[in-house]
Amino acid sequence: MQTNNSKEKVRQLQNKLYLTAKKCASRRFHALYDKVYRDDVLFEAWKRVKANKGSSGVDGIGIEDIEAIGIEKYLTDIKAELADGRYKPSPVKRVMIPKPDGSKRPLGIPTVKDRIVQMAAKIAIEPVFEADFRDCSYGFRPKRSAKQALEKVRKACNNKGYYVVDADIEKFFDNVNQDKLMVLVEQRISDRRIQKLIRQWLKSGVLYGNILTISELGTSQGSVISPVLANIYLNTLDRLWEKYGLTHGILVRYADDTVIICKNKKSANHALNLLRYIMAKLDLKLHPKKTKIVSMWDGKEGFDFLGMHHRRMTTETSKGQLYKETYQYPSRKAMKKMKAEIKRNINSRSLLVAKEEDLIKNLNPKITGWKNYYSTKTNERWMQTLDWYIICTFTRWYNKKHQRRNHMSKVGSVRNSIYEKGLKKMARA
């Protein structure tokens, strides 16, 4: 298996497919399946799956087991299965992930083999659909990010966006109509073998303990192909919004997280009604309690989107003039999650034997990640709160380690010590 320069070859393939699809919106692709088992595509798929880490699926085979077998042999076997039409996906392993509010979220873990094939299929089909996707969609797309979506929302709110439709699609991944999804896939891809692959993944079922469930609805949350399929499905919303909704408000979508920024209450009501109508067309429902119209006018209300809270606040210029602008800062849920992670990395019983330097080394990458995501020009206060929380957590750890009764004594010297030893700050220095 020759895999030299696989990344560049894959990029060229994707570029060619994208440009062909962009040139003609009605073009249907009939020869994509053979791209899925190309050597360079399979090798690139393997590299991406390995980089994402993740545990083993129902077969118990992990990434390190494949490396022990030999990557080249493993990929050659997959290639032969795909070429001969023998490939059949395994059921997805269902695990329950705890959420901050105490409830649990189901996550599907496909086998590593299925993840490689799904990644290879994604490499082949994504550029075709990318050509159709709209600018309002930011989730799980090349060269697009949550930060860009947040910036779009901030600008729209500052530009007379006084009312926001904060929409929550009820159990989106569980309720996707598979038949309608396949119709949307077939509008662009006439290759029967690709269609069959996607149908197989949709119908492969979920194994929870010893119980196998096969549903007529939904796409597995956690599988590699799922975000692309979600975007194909919700592109209908984006297209219809472009056609009928632009006079009501600006739609910003990140996967199934959706907000619409409107200039007045009347527009917001129209936007919500249109959104409900489009959702019904897609056999989806908006959550009755979580979907709401938020008035941004007086700063008494705000909304959460992509881990950030948005609220209009009064700001003073250097010359003492007052004006209102949209503040973005970590939502309560995000703050709670970060504090729990800080506590887990510093002040758990098992870490009392650890050195301060080791705790700092572990925490610094997390601080960098949070800072990169949550830093905005209006959230210094919240970043300082987190810095103070980190200092207090280190102080409690220090006093427990030295068996002091007062858990907050020596806070000043602990603070000096951790910053001298290189602890990073969330707030701007």
Side-chain angles (χ1 to χ4, degrees):
M1 181 175 275
Q2 289 300 311
T3 48
N4 298 345
N5 207 6
S6 66
K7 191 174 185 176
E8 182 54 28
K9 286 179 186 168
V10 163
R11 196 189 63 75
Q12 286 169 1
L13 166 71
Q14 289 191 300
N15 205 25
K16 193 176 166 190
L17 288 168
Y18 173 80
L19 291 172
T20 310
K22 199 76 181 164
K23 212 179 284 176
C24 178
S26 58
R27 160 116 190 220
R28 293 173 80 218
F29 288 73
H30 65 277
L32 284 178
Y33 186 77
D34 59 331
K35 316 276 188 290
V36 174
Y37 58 82
R38 257 173 52 164
D39 287 355
D40 51 352
V41 171
L42 278 175
F43 188 68
E44 188 58 27
W46 153 256
K47 283 199 299 190
R48 291 182 192 182
V49 168
K50 188 188 171 189
N52 290 340
K53 298 182 176 130
S55 51
S56 59
V58 293
D59 61 359
I61 295 172
I63 284 163
E64 56 292 336
D65 300 316
I66 292 164
E67 288 174 322
I69 295 165
I71 297 153
E72 195 164 318
K73 183 191 181 311
Y74 195 79
L75 295 180
T76 306
D77 290 348
I78 291 177
K79 179 178 177 158
E81 275 185 38
L82 285 165
D84 302 345
R86 286 183 288 117
Y87 167 77
K88 281 201 170 40
S90 307
V92 168
K93 183 165 85 175
R94 166 70 49 90
V95 291
M96 302 306 279
I97 307 290
K99 285 165 80 174
D101 61 4
S103 64
K104 291 190 173 180
R105 179 170 70 92
L107 189 72
I109 304 175
T111 61
V112 178
K113 180 193 202 171
D114 289 338
R115 297 208 290 272
I116 293 168
V117 180
Q118 285 187 15
M119 188 66 85
K122 177 179 182 266
I123 285 168
I125 71 168
E126 189 174 55
V128 172
F129 291 101
E130 258 305 309
D132 298 336
F133 290 162
R134 300 303 199 258
D135 279 348
C136 61
S137 156
Y138 291 87
F140 307 106
R141 290 182 60 191
K143 296 177 186 163
R144 295 198 141 226
S145 68
K147 289 285 269 188
Q148 291 171 332
L150 287 164
E151 185 57 13
K152 177 87 174 175
V153 170
R154 188 187 69 81
K155 282 181 175 168
C157 285
N158 277 343
N159 185 22
K160 298 180 182 169
Y162 300 132
Y163 286 85
V164 175
V165 178
D166 181 9
D168 184 281
I169 304 172
E170 201 166 8
K171 292 187 174 169
F172 167 70
F173 284 93
D174 298 341
N175 290 318
V176 169
N177 181 317
Q178 293 177 358
D179 294 334
K180 285 188 177 178
L181 172 61
M182 287 313 299
V183 169
L184 293 168
V185 168
E186 286 159 20
Q187 281 172 2
R188 268 307 207 172
I189 295 175
S190 56
D191 189 327
R192 293 282 181 87
R193 292 185 298 173
I194 290 274
Q195 293 173 9
K196 185 186 170 190
L197 259 188
I198 294 171
R199 269 201 203 90
Q200 280 183 312
W201 288 321
L202 291 171
K203 305 274 183 226
S204 62
V206 173
L207 195 67
Y208 189 47
N210 295 321
I211 300 161
L212 178 66
T213 315
I214 296 171
S215 173
E216 295 294 309
L217 286 174
T219 113
S220 170
Q221 207 172 346
S223 68
V224 173
I225 202 77
S226 191
V228 181
L229 297 179
N231 276 333
I232 292 168
Y233 200 68
L234 286 174
N235 190 46
T236 304
L237 160 63
D238 304 342
R239 276 192 307 106
L240 290 173
W241 195 265
E242 216 169 75
K243 202 170 176 182
Y244 304 111
L246 290 182
T247 51
H248 304 317
I250 294 167
L251 174 84
V252 180
R253 184 173 70 74
Y254 190 94
D256 59 323
D257 282 338
T258 307
V259 289
I260 304 159
I261 299 104
C262 311
K263 298 212 165 169
N264 54 48
K265 184 83 183 275
K266 190 181 173 187
S267 293
N269 282 320
H270 281 312
L272 183 52
N273 288 332
L274 177 57
L275 189 60
R276 282 201 182 107
Y277 174 78
I278 296 170
M279 286 298 131
K281 289 265 179 218
L282 289 167
D283 290 348
L284 295 169
K285 281 194 193 98
L286 293 175
H287 196 293
K289 286 194 179 121
K290 292 181 186 172
T291 300
K292 56 192 179 295
I293 292 174
V294 178
S295 165
M296 297 289 281
W297 181 256
D298 54 6
K300 287 180 184 169
E301 287 185 282
F303 65 95
D304 291 348
F305 181 59
L306 302 180
M308 287 285 197
H309 187 70
H310 301 69
R311 191 178 288 256
R312 258 166 83 84
M313 291 192 186
T314 305
T315 307
E316 194 174 337
T317 66
S318 55
K319 290 177 181 171
Q321 291 167 311
L322 298 179
Y323 69 99
K324 288 193 182 299
E325 72 168 321
T326 306
Y327 273 51
Q328 288 179 321
Y329 51 88
S331 66
R332 269 191 192 158
K333 198 172 166 185
M335 290 287 278
K336 198 174 168 188
K337 210 171 170 181
M338 282 188 276
K339 284 179 176 179
E341 187 70 3
I342 290 161
K343 197 173 171 187
R344 197 174 65 78
N345 276 273
I346 303 171
N347 201 10
S348 57
R349 194 171 284 279
S350 61
L351 294 173
L352 286 176
V353 291
K355 286 183 186 162
E356 207 167 52
E357 290 85 349
D358 294 336
L359 298 183
I360 290 167
K361 198 174 156 190
N362 274 343
L363 198 62
N364 270 344
K366 290 181 173 58
I367 292 172
T368 303
W370 290 330
K371 191 174 177 175
N372 288 346
Y373 186 76
Y374 289 106
S375 268
T376 64
K377 69 185 183 71
T378 53
N379 74 355
E380 198 64 358
R381 206 169 88 208
W382 290 269
M383 293 305 200
Q384 285 167 353
T385 302
L386 286 164
D387 280 336
W388 178 242
Y389 184 80
I390 292 170
I391 291 163
C392 292
T393 312
F394 262 110
T395 306
R396 286 189 201 98
W397 168 84
Y398 176 85
N399 286 313
K400 277 186 194 172
K401 188 180 174 85
H402 294 91
Q403 296 176 346
R404 294 174 191 272
R405 284 221 170 134
N406 181 353
H407 283 176
M408 285 310 292
S409 74
K410 299 257 185 191
V411 66
S413 59
V414 169
R415 180 179 58 196
N416 294 341
S417 168
I418 56 180
Y419 287 136
E420 273 168 23
K421 286 174 182 169
L423 181 77
K424 292 185 176 176
K425 286 183 179 181
M426 294 282 280
R428 287 187 289 274

